[in-house]
Amino acid sequence: MLVSLVSAKGSPGVTTASLGLALLWPRPAVLVEADVAGSSSLLAGWLQGSVRHDRGLINLAFTFTQRAITASDLWEESVVARDPDVVVVPGIPSPEQVGTLVPMWPALASLASQLEQAGTDLLVDTGRLGAEGAPRPVWDASDLVLLVCGTRLPDIAAARPATRRLLSDRVPDQAQNVGLLVVDTGGPYPPREIASALGLPLVGHLPRSKHARNLSDGGPLDRLAQTPLGRSLVATAGGVERFVRARRTFLNPTAHGGDAEAAPSSADMALLDASADPGGPVPVETAGRRRGRA
């Protein structure tokens, strides 16, 4: 499975949401930091500068100039640190290096199928839509592109043209690969209303939480799954799975039991509100399971 996260303007929690999802993902996952703005937020924030920036996308791009890249190359450029662990491929140190990445984007997207065959999903933090050198081929190949939108009016206004840019007029609604992840930024608009205004299925909703700072700045994460933010991340991961399963069934009904179903709508994909309990504590994945190689 290939899942990309992107913001319309600025970054209302794209990296934080990407990291949180990777930490609580139901299967092994690799998180690739593909924000063309550069300066790895994960190394400086979550890892607090404790890991040298000597691995990552820029090395993968260099390998790509020499030969075809493989899932093994992705693992070689990953960083595994902290407890709980998540496998991360750091982004570029400087936006001046983005030109090196552009030819590699289709090859990066193609690695998702290799990883999936080995039981691992690929999550990609792609930063802001419209940035020069942004990974459009990764969005096009994704099972789901999560447009991250805040709850203030400026957030929603910026998300409208972003939605139009991401959606294709060449495929049926059920085959569209764009969904909405609402991050509470203090605005008055509820997630379902935002989804309706944008015409996107609501895949997830993350509440305002002091624990988000632990993700962005490197605080303790051992009880993340038991927090309202953690429960919402788990619920969002479930929403992603339902969206992708429905879309794949529509695209290839024979391979999925012959029962084609439409991709979820805003109404049937609306998830739990921030105060809801999605079913109690969910254990954080162990480091050993995430360290398996493709």
Side-chain angles (χ1 to χ4, degrees), residues 142-220:
S142 292
D143 292 292
L144 172 61
V145 179
L146 272 178
L147 177 62
V148 181
C149 179
T151 55
R152 300 178 305 115
L153 186 57
D155 301 327
I156 301 166
R160 284 182 181 274
T163 298
R164 290 193 295 269
R165 291 187 63 179
L166 288 170
L167 292 175
S168 171
D169 58 4
R170 299 187 301 274
V171 299
D173 289 344
Q174 294 90 337
Q176 299 285 358
N177 68 341
V178 184
L180 183 66
L181 174 59
V182 174
V183 175
D184 189 347
T185 53
Y189 300 98
R192 296 185 189 186
E193 186 175 326
I194 296 171
S196 178
L198 297 177
L200 292 177
L202 180 63
V203 178
H205 167 220
L206 303 183
R208 300 190 84 179
S209 171
K210 63 181 181 181
H211 299 285
R213 185 175 294 276
N214 292 345
L215 286 169
S216 62
D217 295 350

Side-chain angles (χ1 to χ4, degrees), residues 7-26:
S7 70
K9 183 179 181 181
S11 182
V14 174
T15 298
T16 299
S18 300
L19 176 58
L21 284 172
L23 285 167
L24 298 177
W25 201 249

Side-chain angles (χ1 to χ4, degrees), residues 211-284:
H211 299 285
R213 185 175 294 276
N214 292 345
L215 286 169
S216 62
D217 295 350
L221 298 174
D222 54 326
R223 297 185 62 83
L224 174 64
Q226 283 73 49
T227 67
L229 174 62
R231 292 195 295 269
S232 294
L233 285 164
V234 170
T236 298
V240 169
E241 289 192 292
R242 290 191 294 275
F243 182 102
V244 172
R245 184 169 58 247
R247 180 173 180 267
R248 287 185 173 184
T249 298
F250 176 83
L251 292 173
N252 192 357
T254 303
H256 296 82
D259 182 19
E261 57 181 290
S265 66
S266 296
D268 59 25
M269 283 296 293
L271 297 181
L272 302 167
D273 291 332
S275 59
D277 186 339
V282 178
V284 177

